[in-house]
């Protein structure tokens, strides 16, 4: 459990690990209880043990402090210091003369561009590798190529149209020459389910035992990291490897998940690993986040084959508004897309398998009705999917599934594979299903499982609706299990099935009533195509994805780059707009914001906040509940115990009640750690001060105080306080009256205000240190919500 920097509470006497405390979480107790414990617990056995440990550490001599800021997982960065460090480096270059003044800035910039280029190329190569590996492993569950074991079905049957019989590809029953039809079905289903379970269980085992942070999509954590949250374990090289391999196995298993979202995580891992070779990025968290923001856009670019959409995604979803970041993100996205195009993993010269070309015919006005209907359905089903997925995640955390994550993956995979084998549209890989749903019917090409059979529209529509319903159920259960999993592709598949079904229904009505006034814009001959069901799939996929993720501009750009039809952008915009309006009526949080709130990351959205006349006192922790340090009444012994506990991020420093400043626990710990002590008694006799005093015979800690922070009055509106945290990236604000401290607000308090309407806030909170070690999978949580209201 983590507690807030400023809230009062008992200081645990036992030694606590540095990484186990969050910088911003709040709860409160009477501060007098802490001071009483510090002064009177010296006789306690635990305290004596603590002092013994202190003897060993502090009497061993001064320690050398590392250069630059030091953060551990679970903290938030100080944007002021990081930006100041960046500016100081630029100003330092201006002090040189001659050639060095010209060359040094170029060398500094070249480091950034080197990481950008390496990341772009790496993401493109990894994306192509994943496409090839997923296609081969997925097809391996069905059969194999006669002239090469490592060929996927698309590679083996290159030149065949969808629906045509490929003689070079043989199912396992044909390969083993099984004569009986019943035995053929039994063998095919057994291999299909067995390999699916094997792939998923291996992926889950890798994640559980070697890289717990490789599970899930990773976008919620990336958003939190770009907002200032420190989670370096989430971006390590081992996480990168397990995420990539596990993602290929998980997608190939046929579970209702995709690889698009996790590619963002993989791209950020690659950028993080590459940036570690340069000291400038290791020691400056702001510069590191600019690189990660550019890398995240490259992940979207490779996932959807949409370089421009990736840049807009970064601006809209990842809050990368800075002009330099947008430019670097654009370059990274282009490099990644060019690399993927050069690799050509599908052999089609397309960036994605389901890239389509919209009909060149203009759309008809009456089609706005079914398209608007698809937008409304996308919003409704998107909100339903989010609520059910959140409920499933909370149940998984508090129920018996929490202690058996590997068993859950095996069970869900077995059920998914068994059911999918019985439904033809579920049996094929999701990317292949979406690719064929987006295609328009062509008499010169094969028919994909009856999608173009106008004599069996009712049967096809029923099959599509059944596929969509099962996909929704499987996605709700799968998204959140202990495997790498994205939600983009299954959401697109659900919407594409619904869109194709609506398109077929409209097409059937037109065939039955070609002379109706509604179809006056269509040719009088019903055999001439007027309705394009493939584009209805695009509209349905857009609406569903918008309802789940609440993306708007970036989603329109991505779908436009997929379709390549400028004339059809307006219907896509209408679908996105209606989907978001309907979904927002049931809750403002998209799927990623919901998971951020459940994991209690200190991420502050840019959403506008309007108060109802409340002041800052609504979320402010008053001075009576603050743990403060009195500059005129403290000794080194008190500060050692306070710093060693590491229970709070920092402490307001006062002189009586007058506010002096703020000191972080980290700076306090390092200042004490750098001094020698001959005996524990000296700790108690050594006085300390945070105000410079002439001829003071104690320890002067005035240099440990933070730079002057923002200081407000209690009566300021809560709306203004929220806006200041959003725009200035603050960690805390002090409140005072006539120079006397009255209270304090931290970023976590503001996050709590913004997510107060979300019932499951902090329901999935995990201590970063324990989660990185995988300890969370081996114990049952004692409390689903570690933070008191």
């Amino acid at each position: 459990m983590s507690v807030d920097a400023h809230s009062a509470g008992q200081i645990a006497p036992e030694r606590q690990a540095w990484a186990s405390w969050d910088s911003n979480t709040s709860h409160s107790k009477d501060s007098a209880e802490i001071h009483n414990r510090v002064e009177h617990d010296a006789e306690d056995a635990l305290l004596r043990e603590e002092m013994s440990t202190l003897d060993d550490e502090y009497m061993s001599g001064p320690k050398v402090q590392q250069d630059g800021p030091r953060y551990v997982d679970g903290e938030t960065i100080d944007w002021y210091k990081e930006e100041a460090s960046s500016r100081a480096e630029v100003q330092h270059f201006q002090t040189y003369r001659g050639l060095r003044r010209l060359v040094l800035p170029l060398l500094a910039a070249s480091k950034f561009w080197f990481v950008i280029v390496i990341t772009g190329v790496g993401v493109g190569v990894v994306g192509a590798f994943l496409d090839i590996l997923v296609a081969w492993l997925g097809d391996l569950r069905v059969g194999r190529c006669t002239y090469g074991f490592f060929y996927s079905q698309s590679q083996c049957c290159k030149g065949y149209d969808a629906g045509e019989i490929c003689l070079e590809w043989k199912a396992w029953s044909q390969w083993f020459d099984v004569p009986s039809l019943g035995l053929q079905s039994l063998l095919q289903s057994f291999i299909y389910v067995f390999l699916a379970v094997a792939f998923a269980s291996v992926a889950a085992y890798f994640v559980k035992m070697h890289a717990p942070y490789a599970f899930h999509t990773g976008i919620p954590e990336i958003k939190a990291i770009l907002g200032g949250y420190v989670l370096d374990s989430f971006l390590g090289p081992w996480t990168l490897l397990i995420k990539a391999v596990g993602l290929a196995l998980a997608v190939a298993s046929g579970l209702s998940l995709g690889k698009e979202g996790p590619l963002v995580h993989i791209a950020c891992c690659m950028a993080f690993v590459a940036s570690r070779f340069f000291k400038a990025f290791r020691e400056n968290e702001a510069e590191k986040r600019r690189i990660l923001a550019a890398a995240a856009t490259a992940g979207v670019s490779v996932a959807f084959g949409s370089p421009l959409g990736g840049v807009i995604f970064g601006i809209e979803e990842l809050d990368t508004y800075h002009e330099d970041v947008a430019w670097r993100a654009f370059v990274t996205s282009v490099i990644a897309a060019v690399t993927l195009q050069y690799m050509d993993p599908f052999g089609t010269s397309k960036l994605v398998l389901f890239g389509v070309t919209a009909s060149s015919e203009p759309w008809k006005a009456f089609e706005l009705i079914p398209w608007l209907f698809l937008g409304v359905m996308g919003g409704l089903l998107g909100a339903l999917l989010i609520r059910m997925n959140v409920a499933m995640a909370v149940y998984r955390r508090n129920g018996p599934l929490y202690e058996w994550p590997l068993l859950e993956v095996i069970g869900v995979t077995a059920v998914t594979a068994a059911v999918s084998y019985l439904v033809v549209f579920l049996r094929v890989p999701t990317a292949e299903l979406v690719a064929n749903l987006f295609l328009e019917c062509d008499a010169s090409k094969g028919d994909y499982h009856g999608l173009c059979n106008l004599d069996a529209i009712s049967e096809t529509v029923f099959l599509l609706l059944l596929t969509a319903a099962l996909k929704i159920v499987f996605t709700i259960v799968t998204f959140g299990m202990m495997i790498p999993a994205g939600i983009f592709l299954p959401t697109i598949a659900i919407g594409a099935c619904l869109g194709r079904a609506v398109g077929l229904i409209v097409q059937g009505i037109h065939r039955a009533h070609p002379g109706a006034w509604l179809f006056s814009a269509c040719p009088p001959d019903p055999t001439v195509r007027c309705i394009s069901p493939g584009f209805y799939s695009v509209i349905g996929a857009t609406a569903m994805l918008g309802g789940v993720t609440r993306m708007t501009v970036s989603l329109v750009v991505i779908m436009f780059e997929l379709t390549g039809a400028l004339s059809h952008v307006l219907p896509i915009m209408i679908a996105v707009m209606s989907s978001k309006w309907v979904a927002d009526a049931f809750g403002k949080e998209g799927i990623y914001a919901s998971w951020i709130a459940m994991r209690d990351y200190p991420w502050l959205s840019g959403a506008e906040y309007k108060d109802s006349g409340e002041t800052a006192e609504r979320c402010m922790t008053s001075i009576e509940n603050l743990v403060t340090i009195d500059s005129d009444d403290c000794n080194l012994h008190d500060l050692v115990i306070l710093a060693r506990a590491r229970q709070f991020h920092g402490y307001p420093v006062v002189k009586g009640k007058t506010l002096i400043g703020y000191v972080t626990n980290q700076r306090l710990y390092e200042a004490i750690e750098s001094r020698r002590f001959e005996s524990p008694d000296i700790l108690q006799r050594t006085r300390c001060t945070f105000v410079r005093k002439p001829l003071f015979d104690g320890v002067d800690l005035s240099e440990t105080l933070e730079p002057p922070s923002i200081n407000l009055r209690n009566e300021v509106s809560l709306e203004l306080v929220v806006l200041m945290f959003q725009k200035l990236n603050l960690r805390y604000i002090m409140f005072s009256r006539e120079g006397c401290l009255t209270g304090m607000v931290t970023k976590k308090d503001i996050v709590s205000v913004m997510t107060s309407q979300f019932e499951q806030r902090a329901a999935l909170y995990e201590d970063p240190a324990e989660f990185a070690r995988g300890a969370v999978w081996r114990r049952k949580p004692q409390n689903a919500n570690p933070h008191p209201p």
Side-chain angles (χ1 to χ4, degrees):
M1 171 175 129
S2 63
V3 291
D4 184 57
H6 64 275
S7 305
Q10 280 194 343
I11 299 179
E14 63 272 20
R15 180 172 183 175
Q16 303 291 350
W18 174 279
S20 66
W21 302 109
D22 183 85
S23 61
N24 293 305
T25 312
S26 63
H27 78 294
S28 65
K29 279 183 178 288
D30 186 6
S31 60
E33 187 176 347
I34 295 181
H35 293 295
N36 183 63
R37 187 174 187 84
V38 171
E39 293 178 4
H40 301 292
D41 276 3
E43 301 297 328
D44 188 273
L46 291 174
L47 187 57
R48 288 199 301 268
E49 180 181 350
E50 178 75 16
M51 295 303 298
S52 177
T53 306
L54 287 173
D55 295 343
D56 297 336
E57 293 192 7
Y58 290 105
M59 293 176 64
S60 61
K63 306 258 187 6
V64 179
Q65 299 185 26
Q66 296 181 1
D67 294 333
R70 296 188 301 176
Y71 299 100
V72 295
D73 288 353
E75 292 187 335
T76 53
I77 69 171
D78 189 333
W79 286 98
Y80 175 83
K81 287 185 177 180
E82 305 304 320
E83 296 291 355
S85 177
S86 300
R87 290 192 300 269
E89 182 180 11
V90 175
Q91 294 170 359
H92 178 68
F93 292 149
Q94 301 301 319
T95 62
Y96 291 101
R97 293 292 182 269
L99 185 61
R100 285 199 298 176
R101 184 171 182 173
L102 176 65
V103 172
L104 288 179
L106 293 177
L107 290 177
S110 66
K111 298 175 184 178
F112 199 106
W113 290 111
F114 174 80
V115 176
I116 289 295
V117 172
I118 290 296
T119 301
V121 174
V123 173
V125 172
V126 171
F129 166 76
L130 289 177
D131 288 332
I132 296 173
L133 185 59
V134 167
W136 175 64
L137 291 175
D139 292 339
L140 195 63
R141 295 180 299 150
V142 180
R144 59 156 295 179
C145 188
T146 55
Y147 58 83
F149 178 75
F150 293 101
Y151 283 91
S152 65
Q153 187 173 4
S154 60
Q155 293 172 322
C156 185
C157 302
K158 193 172 183 179
Y160 288 85
D161 294 326
E164 289 189 90
I165 298 177
C166 175
L167 300 179
E168 287 79 9
W169 180 265
K170 285 190 176 183
W172 288 116
S173 57
Q174 296 174 319
W175 181 262
F176 290 110
D177 197 18
V178 179
S180 171
L181 183 61
L183 291 177
Q184 288 179 2
S185 300
L186 187 63
L187 177 64
Q188 285 291 138
S189 60
F190 173 77
I191 295 178
Y192 186 91
V193 175
F194 174 78
L195 289 181
V197 172
F199 294 158
S201 58
V202 170
Y205 175 80
F206 283 161
V207 172
K208 179 178 183 294
M209 300 304 298
H210 301 291
Y213 277 127
F215 98 116
H216 209 233
T217 174
I219 291 182
E221 287 77 10
I222 294 298
K223 289 168 71 77
I225 290 172
L226 294 180
Y229 188 58
V230 179
L231 199 61
D232 287 351
S233 300
F234 180 78
L235 302 169
W238 198 239
T239 300
L240 168 62
L241 177 62
I242 300 300
K243 185 85 171 191
V245 175
L247 181 62
L249 292 170
V251 175
S253 69
L255 286 168
S256 187
L257 50 85
K259 62 180 185 298
E260 287 70 26
L263 273 173
V264 175
H265 183 192
I266 290 174
C268 289
C269 287
M270 296 184 68
F272 177 80
V273 172
S275 67
R276 301 301 289 177
F277 290 99
F278 301 100
K279 181 180 179 181
F281 301 129
R282 289 197 307 269
E283 296 182 353
N284 192 297
E285 296 292 331
E287 292 296 328
K288 180 195 299 182
R289 275 152 182 76
R290 293 190 178 99
I291 289 179
L292 295 179
T297 61
V300 177
S301 173
V302 169
F304 291 101
S306 175
L308 184 57
V311 176
I312 304 300
F313 176 85
I315 295 176
E316 181 181 10
E317 286 293 307
L318 305 178
D319 300 330
T320 55
Y321 292 104
H322 199 278
E323 182 180 353
D324 289 343
V325 175
W327 160 240
R328 292 160 179 169
F330 177 78
V331 173
T332 314
S333 297
V334 171
I335 293 174
V338 169
T339 303
L340 184 65
Q341 181 83 41
Y342 176 78
M343 299 288 291
D344 193 15
F346 304 110
T348 59
S349 299
K350 293 182 179 180
L351 293 178
V352 290
L353 179 60
F354 46 86
V356 298
T357 301
S359 174
S360 59
E361 300 177 0
W363 53 275
K364 285 60 174 190
F366 74 86
E367 291 184 295
L368 289 175
I369 299 175
W371 289 342
L372 189 61
F373 170 76
L374 285 174
V376 173
M377 289 301 299
L380 288 173
L381 293 177
L384 174 65
L385 190 148
I386 292 173
R387 288 202 174 191
M388 297 303 295
N389 181 252
V390 168
M392 182 64 198
V394 175
Y395 171 77
R396 178 183 290 115
R397 168 64 187 266
N398 300 324
L401 295 176
Y402 189 82
E403 297 180 340
W404 307 97
L406 187 58
L407 186 61
E408 180 194 10
V409 171
I410 293 174
V412 171
T413 306
V415 173
T416 302
V419 174
S420 299
Y421 187 80
L422 301 176
V423 182
V424 63
F425 288 145
L426 288 175
R427 190 184 310 162
V428 298
T430 305
E432 180 183 339
L433 172 64
V434 172
N436 287 282
L437 289 175
F438 282 1
L439 288 177
E440 297 295 347
C441 294
D442 190 341
S444 62
K445 297 182 179 180
D447 184 9
Y448 185 78
H449 298 300
L451 286 177
C452 299
N453 185 2
L454 298 180
D455 296 327
I457 289 181
S458 299
E459 293 80 358
T460 305
V461 168
F462 171 77
L463 195 59
L464 287 170
L465 294 179
L466 177 63
T467 302
L470 291 174
K471 274 283 185 184
I472 290 176
V473 175
F474 291 150
T475 303
I476 289 171
V477 177
T478 304
F479 191 69
M481 293 196 307
M482 195 188 57
I483 51 174
I487 201 170
F488 278 140
L489 191 56
T491 302
I492 289 174
I494 294 168
C497 288
L498 292 174
R500 189 82 183 203
V502 172
L504 289 175
I505 292 174
V506 175
Q507 192 175 37
I509 296 175
H510 172 249
R511 289 192 66 203
H513 308 282
W517 65 269
L518 188 64
F519 303 109
S520 59
C522 293
D525 186 1
T527 60
V528 178
R529 188 177 69 184
C530 176
I531 312 299
S532 300
F535 190 71
Y536 279 69
S537 294
V538 175
I539 295 294
T542 304
M544 189 67 194
L545 188 57
V548 171
T549 63
R550 311 297 165 85
M551 295 163 55
T552 53
V553 180
S554 59
L555 179 56
V556 172
V557 174
I558 288 173
M559 299 310 294
F560 163 66
E561 289 188 277
L562 283 177
T563 60
L566 182 60
S567 61
H568 284 67
V569 169
L570 182 58
I572 294 176
M573 295 174 67
I574 292 174
V576 171
M577 177 185 67
S578 57
S579 172
K580 180 171 174 56
W581 275 347
V582 173
D584 283 349
F586 297 92
K588 297 293 185 180
E589 299 85 5
I591 188 68
Y592 299 129
S594 298
W595 275 85
I596 287 174
M598 285 193 295
R599 293 211 166 270
D600 202 28
Y601 295 133
W603 175 76
L604 194 59
S605 70
E608 185 180 14
Y609 177 81
K610 294 292 185 181
D611 60 41
S612 302
E614 299 100 331
T615 64
E617 291 182 344
R618 173 187 166 184
C619 60
M620 181 187 76
T621 302
S622 63
I623 187 173
E624 292 78 12
N625 295 322
L626 286 176
V627 179
T628 61
I629 297 177
D630 193 334
S631 180
D632 287 345
D633 186 24
C634 65
N635 57 51
L636 208 54
H637 170 269
D638 297 347
L639 297 184
V640 164
I641 299 300
L642 206 59
R644 289 275 297 170
R646 301 189 188 278
Q647 188 165 354
F648 308 124
H649 171 266
Y651 312 93
V653 179
V654 296
K655 183 178 182 182
K657 288 187 178 181
T658 303
L659 176 62
I660 302 299
Y662 182 84
V663 59
T664 64
N665 194 92
Q666 174 183 325
R667 291 291 301 276
L668 189 62
Y669 185 85
E670 291 175 350
I672 298 174
E673 187 183 48
S674 63
R675 290 170 168 81
R676 297 174 182 269
F677 304 105
E678 298 177 1
S679 69
D681 293 337
I682 296 181
L683 292 175
Q684 297 179 342
R685 295 197 305 266
T686 304
R687 308 299 297 174
C688 303
T689 184
F690 291 85
V691 180
R692 290 189 178 276
K693 297 179 180 180
L695 305 177
F696 182 71
D697 59 353
V699 178
D700 185 357
L701 297 174
S702 58
E703 293 183 355
T704 63
L705 291 177
E706 294 286 286
S709 61
I710 293 180
N711 196 353
L712 301 176
R713 295 282 294 267
N714 299 16
E715 295 80 8
V716 69
S717 67
L718 182 59
E719 180 180 337
L720 178 60
V721 174
V722 172
L723 187 63
M724 293 179 71
F725 272 95
Q726 289 176 326
K727 300 301 183 182
L728 301 179
N729 282 323
L730 302 176
R731 291 198 292 180
Y732 61 89
I733 291 179
M734 298 287 190
F735 293 88
S736 65
R737 183 184 298 276
E738 298 178 355
C740 295
L741 178 66
T742 58
M744 183 178 177
V745 170
T746 66
K747 182 178 181 180
K748 198 55 174 287
D749 296 324
I750 302 302
V751 171
S752 299
V753 170
M754 298 289 286
T755 59
S756 58
Q757 302 300 321
F758 189 73
E759 297 178 357
Q760 305 298 343
R761 183 176 65 88
L764 303 184
Y765 173 81
E766 299 288 2
D767 181 89
E770 291 188 359
F771 194 89
R773 295 194 304 267
V776 295
W777 301 111
R778 295 187 288 272
R779 60 173 177 80
K780 188 177 180 60
Q782 300 298 320
N783 186 0
N785 187 348
H787 309 311

